[in-house]
Amino acid sequence: MEKRIMLGNEAIARGAYEAGVKVSSAYPGTPSTEISEFLAKYDEVYTEWAPNEKVALEVAAGSSIAGVRSMACMKHVGLNVASDPLYTLAYTGVNAGLVIVVADDPGIASSQNEQDTRMIARSAHLPLVEPSDSNEAKEFFKYAFELSERYDTPVIYRTTTKLSHSQSVVDLCERVEVEDKVYERSVPKYVMMPASAIGRHKVVEAREDKMALDAPSFPVNRVEYNDKKIGFITSGVPYQYVKEACPNASVLKLGVINPLPRALIEEFVKEVETVYIFEELEPVIEEQVRAWGLDVKGKELFTKQGEYSANMLRRVLFNEETCAFTKAEAPARPPILCPGCPHRSVFSVLNKLKIHAAGDIGCYTLGAVAPLSVIDTTICMGSSISLLHGMEKAKGKDYIKNWVATIGDSTFLHTGVNSLINMVYNKSTGTVMILDNRTTGMTGHQEHAATGKTLKGEDTYAIDLAELCRSIGVPNVIEINAFDVPGLEEVIKESVKSDTLTVIIAKAPCALLKGQKFPFKCQVDSEKCKKCGMCMKIGCPAMTKNEDGTVKIDETMCNGCGLCKNYCKFGAISQVER
Amino acid sequence: MNIMVVGVGGQGTLLTSRIIGKTALQGGYDVKLSEVHGMAQRGGSVVTFVRFDSKVYEPVCEEGTVDVLISFERLEALRYAHFLKPDGTLIVNDTRIDPMTVVIGAKEYPQDILSTLAKSHKIYTIDAGSIAREIGNSKVLNTVVLGASAKHIGFEKEEWLRVLEATVPPKTIEINKKAFELGYEA
């Protein structure tokens, strides 16, 4: 068997391939993105980017009903968008297997919250499977399809940032082609009108009861008896922390979190003197176990926030420290917009005009921090536009004369367009800026419906954002080069002043897209530099100060965009050919 | 063995860690790597862990357990030096990249980082940026650092080069091998 070191997300994709999956639909979102990118490399699997997670899950559901093994992938907050189909798919069940991969982000490495998908699985009455390393990520994925088909239910497959973005050794297997299931029309099963849904609700309950009874025999729920003084009930990556910190302890490792294997847990608690429930985020396992009257320890010792670690366990249980040195004081290095980023250009103008922005989800959220300090709100995908509209309806049109909404091209197509339809319909006068960098930037450059390429790299139709806005009735749509600073200043000033709903599409490709480097580099003439610091206000990481206070531009980091030149009144900065 | 690779988003720390991981796998070890993707990558402080042994559980290294800390930048070396074991090795690419907190004047870039660290740690420095520029591609800085670190990690030079060749884009094999050699000899 070939051994390979694989990212957790690559292993999930491999598991899908080996499981005979034929259709996958997804929207990018850290830490789930790479699953689809790796999956797209297998010719046997149709893989696509959908405009949002709701669409992705519905596509996968359609494929499952048609009779092929299907999946959808998303990050935890993406499941909120997809929760409408999710809760009802629990009722319809599946035809061929349907697995929904959801990547949680304990520790909030790249998200807006730290919600726990296991809670959603419980409330939707769906089984949830959770692996703890790359090899399990692959193997359990195949098992998730077995469960889905055996119990006629969608299965949630939970990963976390640490699993998705860590690599470990995987044993590769062959793909098993699964025969397509025959589709049979069934109104009581697939048409969720009240008469059917009432019937299906009973099926959901009975299924969950049956699974709960069977759960102790699921091979992914595993007991490792060792020293019986101390034991842990755990799952996912926290299992690895337990093995690292307490190699001699007994462990009940759960592979299926919902429903829990009650008999197995009761036996474990009886056998082991002190049992700790070690689970990141919410006390999902703990609350159920306590409700059964079992004596365990959990959240009174371990936090509900952030990622766990072996050291955390050592500290809490044994008061042990592994560190010999004290942590040095070092100035923080938060993430920043890249040199040559077109968002910086737009934000520099908004900052100069003292305009507030209702922001959205993407790299441009970084426009909230100093020195650009433009964005005032970030909630969820697409919310910038609706928030701005709400502000106007609350306080009147004059209140938003120094406000805009800023949203990326991919985010606009995700859920921003619905909010814009609302602005048109309900007669808003606001200004929406689509920061069109021709890609889904933050997650690492994924194609979307306006780029003209599919996930598989094929040419396709590219939605014209300006035409889309016009077609839904936006009266004023302006397209402009994102680096045209004087032009931007003029159109932004005019549109916030006017009482006409305006969409400004600021266009320039992401600086990290292949071949996007400008053929220039920027230089400072230190004789002409007056040390005024105006150019530093754009927050470009390629710019620093010399000892004497004049500005210097790092040649390697500079992308040559020339934005800084716009902010030097003394002509000290020039753009020269590389 | 516990290895930690730190730097600034965009410096190519991830590729360096992946090559270390693959080399250890070829050496017959169980290997785990932990990476950083998404927002944190955008010019922020980035950390990657590589662990290899007969069996590895946790995918990250805990504070105080690192054998070799490879830093692509001085300030990042200072930030993470406490992850080292008392007798651990610190390899620093001798360059300064100001974080935005320093650029806007809110914080000062600490002086004498290297001499401060040298008091408590076994430290090796290399100017990988200059070496990379001299051979005509500033992007292979990470391979120069890898070369400089390889002899502190173990494995034969040929094993490193074999993995390097199989990992980097075909067009860049020659320049990467040259960068590795120069780092290794430095």
Side-chain angles (χ1 to χ4, degrees):
Chain A
M1 213 176 332
E2 191 193 339
K3 275 190 190 306
R4 208 185 289 170
I5 180 161
M6 274 189 180
L7 204 60
N9 280 347
E10 183 179 8
I12 292 172
R14 179 73 197 189
Y17 165 77
E18 290 178 7
V21 167
K22 285 193 178 156
V23 174
S24 173
S25 188
Y27 184 79
T30 313
S32 71
T33 313
E34 300 83 4
I35 301 168
S36 302
E37 293 179 318
F38 282 112
L39 199 55
K41 294 178 183 170
Y42 297 110
D43 292 338
E44 295 87 343
V45 189
Y46 170 79
T47 319
E48 67 170 29
W49 291 130
N52 65 42
E53 296 83 356
K54 175 180 185 289
V55 175
L57 179 51
E58 290 157 354
V59 169
S63 303
S64 157
I65 291 169
V68 307
R69 285 192 165 184
S70 312
M71 61 189 275
C73 313
M74 58 204 67
K75 67 182 294 173
H76 59 325
V77 286
L79 188 62
N80 301 337
V81 179
S83 65
D84 196 357
L86 182 86
Y87 279 79
T88 303
L89 285 169
Y91 279 41
T92 63
V94 303
N95 184 17
L98 172 61
V99 176
I100 306 142
V101 186
V102 186
D104 282 4
D105 190 14
I108 322 190
S110 196
S111 300
Q112 62 268 42
N113 75 25
E114 129 175 94
Q115 69 189 46
D116 190 331
T117 294
R118 299 175 307 158
M119 303 276 272
I120 296 175
R122 286 203 71 202
S123 69
H125 301 286
L126 288 172
L128 181 143
V129 176
E130 183 175 32
S132 74
D133 63 18
S134 293
N135 201 50
E136 280 188 0
K138 180 177 81 79
E139 288 303 311
F140 284 17
F141 203 70
K142 296 189 271 188
Y143 186 67
F145 274 96
E146 275 178 52
L147 286 180
S148 173
E149 287 169 0
R150 195 190 315 157
Y151 293 97
D152 185 8
T153 176
V155 171
I156 297 180
Y157 199 73
R158 184 199 191 217
T159 169
T160 57
T161 303
K162 196 53 90 219
L163 179 77
S164 282
H165 290 162
S166 66
Q167 299 204 24
S168 58
V169 184
V170 169
D171 297 315
L172 300 188
C173 307
E174 294 300 316
R175 174 175 170 94
V176 178
E177 290 295 346
V178 182
E179 208 175 313
D180 292 1
K181 296 266 197 286
V182 178
Y183 166 72
E184 282 172 40
R185 175 179 150 87
S186 169
V187 171
K189 180 163 158 58
Y190 294 126
V191 183
M192 283 305 101
M193 51 190 173
S196 312
I198 289 166
R200 289 303 295 182
H201 195 174
K202 292 184 189 126
V203 174
V204 171
E205 303 261 331
R207 177 182 70 212
E208 206 169 30
D209 290 347
K210 174 79 171 73
M211 282 193 88
L213 273 181
D214 296 350
S217 64
F218 292 163
V220 294
N221 293 328
R222 189 174 80 218
V223 183
E224 301 169 11
Y225 279 123
N226 245 315
D227 178 1
K228 289 192 176 172
K229 279 212 179 63
I230 158 169
F232 293 88
I233 300 174
T234 187
S235 74
V237 181
Y239 165 77
Q240 309 293 348
Y241 304 142
V242 167
K243 296 299 281 183
E244 186 80 31
C246 309
N248 299 320
S250 295
V251 182
L252 169 52
K253 181 184 180 297
L254 299 172
V256 174
I257 308 304
N258 191 52
L260 290 174
R262 181 166 176 173
L264 205 61
I265 291 172
E266 284 175 336
E267 189 194 299
F268 187 78
V269 174
K270 209 167 78 186
E271 288 286 320
V272 178
E273 216 167 286
T274 309
V275 174
Y276 297 92
I277 301 202
F278 196 61
E279 54 184 330
E280 283 173 336
L281 301 178
E282 302 295 327
V284 175
I285 302 170
E286 183 183 337
E287 281 182 354
Q288 293 177 80
V289 171
R290 283 190 196 275
W292 299 332
L294 300 177
D295 181 23
V296 292
K297 297 185 189 307
K299 291 296 176 190
E300 72 273 30
L301 298 171
F302 310 116
T303 171
K304 289 181 194 166
Q305 292 166 27
E307 284 187 308
Y308 284 7
S309 69
N311 256 10
M312 173 220 189
L313 200 50
R314 290 187 187 106
R315 261 180 227 125
V316 171
L317 296 188
F318 318 119
N319 209 11
E320 261 178 34
E321 282 293 340
T322 53
C323 194
F325 302 106
T326 13
K327 194 170 186 257
E329 283 281 319
R333 191 187 298 275
I336 40 168
L337 295 172
C338 305
C341 175
H343 302 329
R344 175 177 291 105
S345 177
V346 173
F347 290 140
S348 72
V349 175
L350 292 172
N351 175 295
K352 186 179 170 193
L353 298 175
K354 297 193 167 51
I355 286 177
H356 300 257
D360 226 293
I361 306 285
C363 290
Y364 43 87
T365 309
L366 296 170
V369 295
L372 293 163
S373 312
V374 166
I375 285 181
D376 281 31
T377 59
T378 298
I379 312 290
C380 66
M381 295 286 285
S383 65
S384 57
I385 299 175
S386 3
L387 253 63
L388 180 68
H389 181 71
M391 288 172 184
E392 177 175 359
K393 293 305 168 190
K395 294 281 187 79
K397 63 185 183 191
D398 289 339
Y399 182 76
I400 56 158
K401 293 296 183 204
N402 60 344
W403 277 84
V404 297
T406 55
I407 185 167
D409 43 344
S410 190
T411 309
F412 176 70
L413 290 169
H414 178 279
T415 34
V417 66
N418 315 47
S419 306
L420 189 60
I421 290 170
N422 188 47
M423 274 183 126
V424 173
Y425 174 49
N426 289 307
K427 299 184 276 186
S428 169
T429 67
T431 299
V432 173
M433 299 194 70
I434 302 177
L435 312 181
D436 180 6
N437 65 356
R438 312 309 300 161
T439 189
T440 317
M442 164 81 64
T443 43
H445 303 113
Q446 288 72 37
E447 305 294 345
H448 60 66
T451 65
K453 290 269 184 198
T454 68
L455 168 56
K456 291 263 190 187
E458 293 156 7
D459 291 327
T460 183
Y461 307 99
I463 289 174
D464 183 320
L465 295 181
E467 286 307 314
L468 174 62
C469 294
R470 285 185 194 109
S471 73
I472 60 174
V474 176
N476 190 23
V477 180
I478 300 162
E479 290 180 277
I480 185 167
N481 177 348
F483 285 105
D484 176 2
V485 169
L488 270 175
E489 205 175 315
E490 197 184 311
V491 298
I492 294 171
K493 266 189 197 161
E494 261 180 40
S495 66
V496 291
K497 205 166 61 188
S498 89
D499 287 347
T500 309
L501 171 61
T502 302
V503 173
I504 301 170
I505 306 175
K507 297 165 87 158
C510 170
L512 296 183
L513 277 177
K514 223 176 166 186
Q516 280 313 319
K517 206 156 183 163
F518 291 82
F520 310 111
K521 58 182 176 185
C522 298
Q523 285 178 343
V524 181
D525 181 343
S526 52
E527 297 291 309
K528 289 188 189 164
C529 176
K530 302 284 185 240
K531 310 173 191 176
C532 68
M534 282 306 288
C535 60
M536 301 289 281
K537 285 193 174 174
I538 63 172
C540 177
M543 305 176 77
T544 50
K545 279 189 177 172
N546 288 309
E547 299 266 305
D548 66 356
T550 56
V551 170
K552 100 179 147 183
I553 297 173
D554 183 300
E555 193 185 310
T556 328
M557 284 178 88
C558 174
N559 182 286
C561 75
L563 176 65
C564 49
K565 207 175 73 173
N566 289 283
Y567 291 93
C568 183
K569 279 190 279 192
F570 310 104
I573 301 176
S574 55
Q575 229 176 344
V576 297
E577 276 185 35
R578 231 175 234 281
Chain B
M1 182 174 241
N2 291 337
I3 297 162
M4 184 174 180
V5 185
V6 302
V8 178
Q11 280 188 303
T13 52
L14 201 55
L15 186 67
T16 304
S17 334
R18 286 179 173 179
I19 291 171
I20 298 170
K22 278 191 185 177
T23 309
L25 183 69
Q26 292 215 344
Y29 288 100
D30 186 24
V31 182
K32 281 192 180 169
L33 251 102
S34 177
E35 312 181 343
V36 174
H37 297 225
M39 179 181 255
Q41 275 180 301
R42 301 277 172 263
S45 167
V46 290
V47 178
T48 317
F49 299 101
V50 189
R51 301 188 70 201
F52 60 91
D53 214 319
S54 52
K55 172 76 188 163
V56 179
Y57 289 110
E58 190 177 24
V60 298
C61 308
E62 300 284 356
E63 297 174 348
T65 68
V66 168
D67 296 284
V68 182
L69 169 59
I70 303 164
S71 179
F72 278 56
E73 198 268 352
R74 289 205 297 264
L75 178 61
E76 297 312 305
L78 180 70
R79 191 188 313 283
Y80 296 109
H82 66 287
F83 272 79
L84 280 165
K85 279 180 181 165
D87 59 345
T89 302
L90 173 60
I91 294 145
V92 186
N93 175 34
D94 192 2
T95 191
R96 168 178 169 167
I97 301 173
D98 285 356
M100 200 43 68
T101 44
V102 170
V103 172
I104 62 173
K107 287 273 160 59
E108 286 214 1
Y109 194 95
Q111 299 298 310
D112 312 318
I113 290 176
L114 295 179
S115 51
T116 309
L117 288 173
K119 283 179 200 154
S120 47
H121 299 279
K122 194 162 55 176
I123 180 169
Y124 297 90
T125 58
I126 182 166
D127 183 358
S130 300
I131 294 174
R133 274 192 299 277
E134 269 165 35
I135 57 171
N137 187 347
S138 55
K139 277 192 184 161
V140 295
L141 172 149
N142 55 357
T143 311
V144 178
V145 176
L146 176 70
S149 310
K151 48 185 187 263
H152 301 284
I153 297 171
F155 307 111
E156 296 298 320
K157 191 162 91 177
E158 286 62 40
E159 294 178 65
W160 287 103
L161 287 170
R162 214 169 32 239
V163 175
L164 183 70
E165 207 171 316
T167 311
V168 300
K171 274 189 203 159
T172 67
I173 288 176
E174 279 318 306
I175 190 154
N176 270 295
K177 279 166 92 172
K178 202 167 167 187
F180 182 90
E181 295 274 3
L182 288 169
Y184 199 85
E185 302 309 329

